[in-house]
């Protein structure tokens, strides 16, 4: 089946965000200053590496917003000795005219194969360790315990100024470690079909790891997914195949509530039944609601 008419596709864009080897390691200024932490634990600026198609008339591509929300914490690095399980999240972009872009992202970690990036990370770490050593030397040379007339005051000073155990610094050794960097696969859809998007992204990710076992190239499956899977009509179900797995999505009718493709168990687990009822009451009474993460 074909979905060539404007605005009638299930998926508007397939996007890949991650590390641009040409730009290198640019600090992510949107996340604030991070010079006080080790270079491996800092956030760096991500780039949109590719998106298909280039543009669609009914939903112009917002490269900056999609990239920023696909990797909201910027580029993250890990060592191969750390856990790096892929994780999924969704996001919503609302334009000034009220139109929406529903985004779904699968973030995973892959080995950095660019020698210059690994070398740059090693240089940043050497500079960071030199700064730590210099700061520690200055602290020891200027620290002096003031005279106290009373032993009680002297003991209080020692308790308040005793060195606390420092957290372990994550160090990168290019000779011992493989450097991993976050990368994101993203789907932009006109409607929030969360379960379908999650299934498709997982299949694409696993297909990229085992492409030799596929009957066709991964590009063929992506083309079919983007250009030939239509948007289901209101009030109808649709089943399609993503690589080798059947995917089911349901679109509510015109007189039904909008789609909510998230398990309610997760909502109650995160918010709690009591607070959920408070939120629902505020929503029904049209009160302003502000939700922020701790």
């Amino acid at each position: 089946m074909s979905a060539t008419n404007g605005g009638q596709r299930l998926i508007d864009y397939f996007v890949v965000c991650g590390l641009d080897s040409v730009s290198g390691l640019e600090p992510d200024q949107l996340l604030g200053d991070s010079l006080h932490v080790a270079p491996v634990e800092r956030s760096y600026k991500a780039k949109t590496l590719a998106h298909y198609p280039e543009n669609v008339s009914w939903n112009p591509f917002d490269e900056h917003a999609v990239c920023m929300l696909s990797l909201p914490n910027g580029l993250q690095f890990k060592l191969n000795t750390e856990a790096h399980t892929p994780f999924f999240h969704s996001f919503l972009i609302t334009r000034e005219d009220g139109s929406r872009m529903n985004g779904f992202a699968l973030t995973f970690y892959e080995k950095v194969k660019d020698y210059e990036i690994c070398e740059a990370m090693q240089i940043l770490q050497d500079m960071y360790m030199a700064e730590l050593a210099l700061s520690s030397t200055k602290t020891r040379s200027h620290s002096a315990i003031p005279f106290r007339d009373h032993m009680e005051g002297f003991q209080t000073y020692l308790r308040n100024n005793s060195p606390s155990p420092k957290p372990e610094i994550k160090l990168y050794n290019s000779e011992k470690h493989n450097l991993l960097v976050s990368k994101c696969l993203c789907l932009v859809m006109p409607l929030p079909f969360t379960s379908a998007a999650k299934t498709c992204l997982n299949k694409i990710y696993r297909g990229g790891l085992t492409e030799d076992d596929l009957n066709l190239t991964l590009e063929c499956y992506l083309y079919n997914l983007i250009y030939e899977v239509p948007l289901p009509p209101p009030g109808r179900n649709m089943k399609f195949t993503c690589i080798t797995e059947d995917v089911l999505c349901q679109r509510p009718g015109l007189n039904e509530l909008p789609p909510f493709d998230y398990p309610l168990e997760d909502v109650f687990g995160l918010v709690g039944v009591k607070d959920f009822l408070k939120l629902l009451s505020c929503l029904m009474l049209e009160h302003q609601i502000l939700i922020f993460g701790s």
Side-chain angles (χ1 to χ4, degrees), residues 201-220:
L201 287 172
N202 279 314
K203 289 299 295 183
I204 294 170
Y205 170 68
R206 291 197 295 267
L209 297 178
T210 59
E211 190 169 0
D212 293 339
D213 298 333
L214 301 178
N215 296 326
L216 301 172
T217 63
L218 189 59
E219 288 79 6
C220 291

Side-chain angles (χ1 to χ4, degrees), residues 76-77 84 89 107 122 187 214 226 239 264:
Q76 300 284 311
F77 285 88
H84 47 275
H89 76 275
T107 304
Q122 188 71 65
L187 295 177
L214 301 178
I226 297 171
K239 184 171 75 172
L264 284 177

Side-chain angles (χ1 to χ4, degrees), residues 12-130:
D12 287 339
Y13 296 100
F14 171 71
V15 189
V16 181
C17 300
L19 172 65
D20 182 7
S21 58
V22 177
S23 301
L25 300 178
E26 296 183 42
D28 194 335
Q29 302 296 339
L30 294 176
L31 297 175
D33 185 16
S34 60
L35 296 178
H36 59 285
V37 299
V40 181
E41 299 180 292
R42 296 174 189 171
S43 295
Y44 299 89
K45 192 173 182 179
K47 295 290 182 67
T48 301
L49 304 180
H51 68 276
Y52 308 98
E54 189 68 25
N55 200 45
V56 293
S57 58
W58 61 88
N59 188 6
F61 185 69
D62 190 337
E63 179 177 345
H64 175 71
V66 171
C67 183
M68 181 177 64
L69 295 175
S70 295
L71 290 168
N73 295 322
L75 280 178
Q76 300 284 311
F77 285 88
K78 285 182 178 290
L79 306 179
N80 61 306
T81 54
E82 299 178 271
H84 47 275
T85 306
F87 59 91
F88 172 86
H89 76 275
S90 60
F91 59 87
L92 176 66
I93 300 173
T94 304
R95 299 190 180 94
E96 293 180 356
D97 60 359
S99 60
R100 295 180 173 182
M101 295 176 66
N102 297 277
F104 307 93
L106 180 71
T107 304
F108 60 97
Y109 286 82
E110 66 176 6
K111 180 181 177 181
V112 178
K113 299 180 180 179
D114 192 319
Y115 172 76
E116 293 184 357
I117 297 294
C118 296
E119 187 178 27
M121 181 64 73
Q122 188 71 65
I123 293 173
L124 286 174
Q125 181 175 275
D126 293 342
M127 294 171 60
Y128 173 74
M129 296 304 294

Side-chain angles (χ1 to χ4, degrees), residues 49-290:
L49 304 180
H51 68 276
Y52 308 98
E54 189 68 25
N55 200 45
V56 293
S57 58
W58 61 88
N59 188 6
F61 185 69
D62 190 337
E63 179 177 345
H64 175 71
V66 171
C67 183
M68 181 177 64
L69 295 175
S70 295
L71 290 168
N73 295 322
L75 280 178
Q76 300 284 311
F77 285 88
K78 285 182 178 290
L79 306 179
N80 61 306
T81 54
E82 299 178 271
H84 47 275
T85 306
F87 59 91
F88 172 86
H89 76 275
S90 60
F91 59 87
L92 176 66
I93 300 173
T94 304
R95 299 190 180 94
E96 293 180 356
D97 60 359
S99 60
R100 295 180 173 182
M101 295 176 66
N102 297 277
F104 307 93
L106 180 71
T107 304
F108 60 97
Y109 286 82
E110 66 176 6
K111 180 181 177 181
V112 178
K113 299 180 180 179
D114 192 319
Y115 172 76
E116 293 184 357
I117 297 294
C118 296
E119 187 178 27
M121 181 64 73
Q122 188 71 65
I123 293 173
L124 286 174
Q125 181 175 275
D126 293 342
M127 294 171 60
Y128 173 74
M129 296 304 294
E131 288 286 341
L132 278 184
L134 181 61
S135 175
S136 177
T137 302
K138 289 182 178 179
T139 302
R140 287 197 301 269
S141 62
H142 289 85
S143 61
I145 300 176
F147 176 78
R148 288 290 183 269
D149 294 333
H150 303 285
M151 182 60 69
E152 182 179 354
F154 180 68
Q155 291 175 345
T156 302
Y157 174 84
L158 288 179
R159 284 196 301 269
N160 294 337
N161 292 274
S162 59
S164 57
K166 296 181 179 180
E168 184 178 352
I169 300 175
K170 184 164 64 175
L171 299 178
Y172 165 63
N173 188 329
S174 57
E175 297 180 356
K176 296 181 179 180
H177 300 124
N178 288 326
L179 190 63
L180 308 178
V181 64
S182 58
K183 195 171 188 177
C184 181
L185 304 178
C186 175
L187 295 177
V188 176
M189 294 181 168
L191 292 175
F193 296 118
T194 308
S195 297
K198 185 176 183 179
T199 302
C200 291
L201 287 172
N202 279 314
K203 289 299 295 183
I204 294 170
Y205 170 68
R206 291 197 295 267
L209 297 178
T210 59
E211 190 169 0
D212 293 339
D213 298 333
L214 301 178
N215 296 326
L216 301 172
T217 63
L218 189 59
E219 288 79 6
C220 291
Y221 291 110
L222 286 173
Y223 182 92
N224 171 262
L225 193 63
I226 297 171
Y227 293 100
E228 298 182 355
V229 178
L231 190 67
R236 301 292 295 274
N237 297 341
M238 181 183 70
K239 184 171 75 172
F240 63 95
T241 301
C242 177
I243 303 184
T244 58
E245 185 170 341
D246 290 337
V247 183
L248 180 67
C249 61
Q250 179 182 12
R251 183 177 179 182
L254 297 176
N255 297 322
E256 296 181 275
L257 292 173
F260 183 79
D261 201 7
Y262 297 92
L264 284 177
E265 181 182 359
D266 293 346
V267 177
F268 290 119
L270 292 170
V271 180
V273 177
K274 186 176 180 180
D275 290 335
F276 178 80
L277 292 176
K278 289 182 180 179
L279 286 173
L280 185 60
S281 300
C282 292
L283 185 65
M284 300 298 290
L285 295 172
E286 298 185 357
H287 292 171
Q288 290 185 344
I289 301 174
L290 176 63

